[in-house]
Amino acid sequence: MSSIIDIGWMELFFSFSILIIPFVFFWKFDIRLTKNVLISAVRMGIQLGLVALYLEWIFTLNNPWINTLWVGIMILVGVLTTIRRVALNWKIFLIPLAIAGLTSVFIVDAFYLGLIIQLEYIFDARYFIPITGMILGNALNHNIVGLTTYIKGLQEKSDLYYFLLINTNKRETALKPFIQEAIIRALNPMIASMSVMGLISLPGMMTGQILGGSSPATAIKYQIMIMLAIFVGCSLNLFLSILMINRVILDEKDQMIEKIK
């Protein structure tokens, strides 16, 4: 297998010029996204450049405490981003969502890194940080959709919740339709993506491994494992997040508190 072809810095900078294509359409149809795209693209470049620098340092040290600290920072950033996007009160929701994120990451990482890949050193930065990052990155998007749907449903259909609660006298039964809707809306896009993977799309991780010199068979095995880990991680994170926030949005009498945002 031939070695990977590196990309020069000038070529990398020149690659940004292809943004002219969507910018022309934005200009023609008066779509005011050019500034936002430019800011996002520049931020992406700077942030990923910094990631390259500190990941080189983290990978070199490969210290379990530093690796765990970095994963903790990723969880915290993901939780705070979710809270901001769903417009929740961070003082109320920070701890419940952090516990959900930490628990889901611990379970999925322990299973895949310890049992499937069978790493001798489970905190190996080259596996521990990228795999955890992919799980958390995907969980962020699905948590935002799921929690927004769940909380909005409870607020807009509170009559249904109280009707079910009064008639069944069970919190779980009253919350069931709201949890179902949140889970389905959050996970449907991922399920659809999984169903066509390999037919109309080649995942980024698999493409990266092939470009890095891995055999297609090895890349595919890792991609299947990663997709399963991401799906389970997202599902578990969202489900635990809903269970945890129920402890703060419902009082001891199963009444919804007035202000949850």
Side-chain angles (χ1 to χ4, degrees):
M1 192 70 69
S2 60
S3 61
I4 187 170
I5 300 173
D6 197 6
I7 300 173
W9 287 107
M10 289 302 298
E11 288 79 7
L12 180 61
F13 291 140
F14 182 67
S15 69
F16 281 79
S17 64
I18 200 170
L19 290 174
I20 293 173
I21 296 174
F23 287 170
V24 168
F25 287 98
F26 293 165
W27 170 76
K28 184 173 180 61
F29 293 97
D30 196 24
I31 300 173
R32 299 179 181 179
L33 287 177
T34 302
K35 181 180 178 180
N36 291 337
V37 172
L38 281 174
I39 293 173
S40 297
V42 171
R43 283 189 59 179
M44 174 191 69
I46 294 173
Q47 289 167 182
L48 288 178
L50 293 173
V51 167
L53 290 176
Y54 64 68
L55 281 186
E56 286 283 353
W57 176 71
I58 289 175
F59 283 8
T60 300
L61 290 178
N62 208 10
N63 183 285
W65 296 107
I66 294 177
N67 298 346
T68 302
L69 176 63
W70 180 242
V71 167
I73 292 173
M74 289 195 293
I75 292 173
L76 180 61
V77 171
V79 168
L80 290 175
T81 302
T82 300
I83 289 173
R84 185 174 69 253
R85 293 295 183 182
V86 187
L88 300 175
N89 187 329
W90 71 271
K91 295 180 181 179
I92 298 175
F93 292 92
L94 178 61
I95 293 178
L97 293 181
I99 292 173
L102 181 61
T103 303
S104 60
V105 164
F106 175 80
I107 292 173
V108 176
D109 276 353
F111 179 78
Y112 280 101
L113 299 181
L115 295 179
I116 303 301
I117 301 179
Q118 298 181 7
L119 293 176
E120 293 182 6
Y121 176 47
I122 199 169
F123 294 103
D124 189 337
R126 195 166 294 276
Y127 290 86
F128 181 50
I129 292 177
I131 290 177
T132 303
M134 281 188 280
I135 294 171
L136 290 174
N138 284 273
L140 170 65
N141 299 325
H142 298 288
N143 262 13
I144 291 173
V145 174
L147 293 179
T148 299
T149 302
Y150 182 66
I151 293 174
K152 185 178 179 180
L154 283 175
Q155 290 177 325
E156 295 182 351
K157 301 176 183 178
S158 57
D159 290 345
L160 173 60
Y161 167 73
Y162 287 119
F163 173 80
L164 294 172
L165 184 64
I166 292 171
N167 283 274
T168 64
N169 199 32
K170 292 182 179 180
R171 173 193 287 193
E172 292 78 8
T173 303
L175 292 174
K176 187 175 181 179
F178 301 99
I179 295 176
Q180 288 175 333
E181 183 181 7
I183 298 292
I184 290 172
R185 290 197 61 179
L187 297 182
N188 256 343
M190 185 185 298
I191 296 171
S193 178
M194 287 174 62
S195 68
V196 297
M197 192 164 290
L199 294 177
I200 63 174
S201 67
L202 288 178
M205 179 189 171
M206 188 176 79
T207 303
Q209 281 193 302
I210 293 174
L211 291 175
S214 297
S215 71
T218 300
I220 286 171
K221 286 186 285 186
Y222 266 93
Q223 185 61 53
I224 292 172
M225 183 201 73
I226 288 298
M227 283 308 302
L228 293 174
I230 288 174
F231 180 76
V232 174
C234 291
S235 305
L236 185 58
N237 197 334
L238 178 56
F239 187 67
L240 290 177
S241 295
I242 291 174
L243 293 183
M244 293 301 297
I245 69 171
N246 283 341
R247 296 175 175 270
V248 296
I249 66 175
L250 301 174
D251 61 22
E252 64 278 0
K253 296 182 180 179
D254 294 332
Q255 304 293 308
M256 284 186 284
I257 63 175
E258 293 183 4
K259 295 182 179 180
I260 61 177
K261 293 193 175 184

